[in-house]
Amino acid sequence: QIDYTGTEPSSPCNKCLNVSWDSPTPCTCTINFTLEHSFESNVFMYYGLSNFYQNHRRYVKSRDDSQLNGDNSSLLNPSKECEPYRTNEDKPIAPCGAIANSMFNDTLELYRIDNDTRIPITLIKKGIAWWTDKNVKFRNPTGDGNNLTALFQGTTKPVNWRKPVYMLDSEADNNGFINEDFIVWMRTAALPTFRKLYRLIERKDNLAPTLQAGKYSLDIAYNYPVHSFDGRKRMILSTISWMGGKNPFLGIAYITVGSICFFLGVVLLIIHHKYGNRNTSADIPN
């Protein structure tokens, strides 16, 4: 994990700490780090956020699923659940709602350093979203032709976005509402500290590790402000084994619930032995 929030004065990203949504140009910073062990199989790159409550009821409801599914009438007349991010300057917002408006927009690039030469690591941006989301729940508007600029005519971008939804990517199958970065963000997290899949690094050679041990650098286009709510941002590199990925949540949850049950069992046992031997006979003594 690489924390690049920049709250520490010595951090290369400290200069970007007070970046705002409407900054004319992104702030950039570079963090160097070392991998002590090689990553043998496919590698998953995540971005992580802390103290960000995506589970707030009004936040979770602030979206229009019909609009995201490509319904043309909802595109121009979004649901009132999207307020106050339903319209802007008398134009409907596409995509509307607080979830879309707060979409993560940092750009991360990874390089391996070999003899002072920076070698870019290929990051795959497709295949990061759930198949059902990509092919069922999210659809672009329909109409004559495949020109998204024309299909989204009459709408405006979310307030905090720098470009409209039809310019999220240059590839048609990853643009508009079916952009996978957007789809991943729209699946809200249950806890205030979470991570979301950002890119994939595929293994190309069975004889060589995907990421070999050594020096690396992370280039960051720092666009996403978190300092105002005491949040933190992280880049996470992870891989999987035959048992799957490392996720301690279930283990912690089971141990916690088991410990509580054991404690309550002991307490109830003591209460039973102390107070359970009372005379329950209904006979009235003389």
Side-chain angles (χ1 to χ4, degrees):
Q1 295 191 38
I2 303 296
D3 189 311
Y4 67 93
T5 310
T7 52
E8 300 79 11
S10 59
S11 172
C13 294
N14 181 259
K15 61 182 179 180
C16 305
L17 188 60
N18 294 315
V19 69
S20 60
W21 292 104
D22 55 355
S23 297
T25 56
C27 182
T28 58
C29 56
T30 299
I31 294 181
N32 297 318
F33 64 96
T34 301
L35 286 183
E36 301 294 340
H37 305 284
S38 298
F39 283 46
E40 299 294 340
S41 59
N42 292 339
V43 177
F44 302 88
M45 176 186 279
Y46 299 86
Y47 60 86
L49 293 175
S50 298
N51 204 34
F52 191 108
Y53 288 82
Q54 277 198 315
N55 55 4
H56 193 283
R57 184 181 65 86
R58 289 190 62 188
Y59 182 90
V60 173
K61 292 177 62 179
S62 186
R63 60 189 292 165
D64 187 342
D65 288 323
S66 295
Q67 184 192 59
L68 298 174
N69 195 241
D71 184 74
N72 289 350
S73 60
S74 297
L75 180 68
L76 300 176
N77 185 26
S79 168
K80 293 182 179 180
E81 296 285 359
C82 288
E83 294 289 358
Y85 302 107
R86 181 172 177 265
T87 60
N88 186 29
E89 297 179 352
D90 296 328
K91 287 186 177 181
I93 294 176
C96 72
I99 308 176
N101 188 63
S102 59
M103 178 181 168
F104 183 83
N105 62 344
D106 282 357
T107 301
L108 308 176
E109 296 179 349
L110 189 63
Y111 296 85
R112 182 169 64 88
I113 301 176
D114 187 9
N115 295 326
D116 296 329
T117 301
R118 297 196 344 144
I119 303 172
I121 303 297
T122 302
L123 303 178
I124 300 173
K125 60 187 175 182
K126 295 181 181 179
I128 61 175
W130 289 19
W131 187 92
T132 50
D133 288 348
K134 174 79 173 181
N135 297 280
V136 179
K137 293 184 178 181
F138 290 80
R139 284 280 187 274
N140 282 324
T142 56
D144 295 334
N146 295 319
N147 188 349
L148 288 184
T149 305
L151 294 176
F152 281 97
Q153 187 175 9
T155 66
T156 186
K157 66 179 182 64
V159 178
N160 288 339
W161 286 24
R162 298 188 177 187
K163 52 188 176 182
V165 68
Y166 51 82
M167 294 178 63
L168 290 180
D169 198 281
S170 58
E171 300 182 35
D173 62 345
N174 194 43
N175 200 11
F177 289 157
I178 58 173
N179 176 265
E180 296 202 28
D181 285 327
F182 172 68
I183 294 173
V184 168
W185 177 257
M186 293 299 291
R187 181 169 285 278
T188 54
L191 300 173
T193 297
F194 59 87
R195 65 182 184 179
K196 292 178 183 283
L197 187 57
Y198 180 70
R199 292 293 182 266
L200 301 174
I201 306 174
E202 290 187 345
R203 186 174 188 177
K204 297 180 179 179
D205 187 354
N206 290 331
L207 301 178
T210 308
L211 293 179
Q212 63 186 16
K215 296 181 179 180
Y216 290 81
S217 66
L218 177 68
D219 283 8
I220 304 152
Y222 198 113
N223 302 310
Y224 201 73
V226 296
H227 184 55
S228 60
F229 57 88
D230 295 326
R232 301 198 70 86
K233 299 191 289 187
R234 309 180 311 280
M235 185 280 297
I236 303 157
L237 294 176
S238 178
T239 187
I240 58 174
S241 66
W242 63 272
M243 294 182 65
K246 179 181 179 181
N247 188 352
F249 174 76
L250 277 179
I252 294 172
Y254 288 155
I255 291 174
T256 302
V257 173
S259 300
I260 293 174
C261 291
F262 177 78
F263 174 76
L264 290 177
V266 172
V267 171
L268 292 175
L269 182 64
I270 294 173
I271 293 175
H272 173 73
H273 278 283
K274 187 173 182 179
Y275 302 103
N277 294 326
R278 292 178 177 178
N279 187 4
T280 58
S281 174
D283 297 336
I284 300 176
N286 295 327

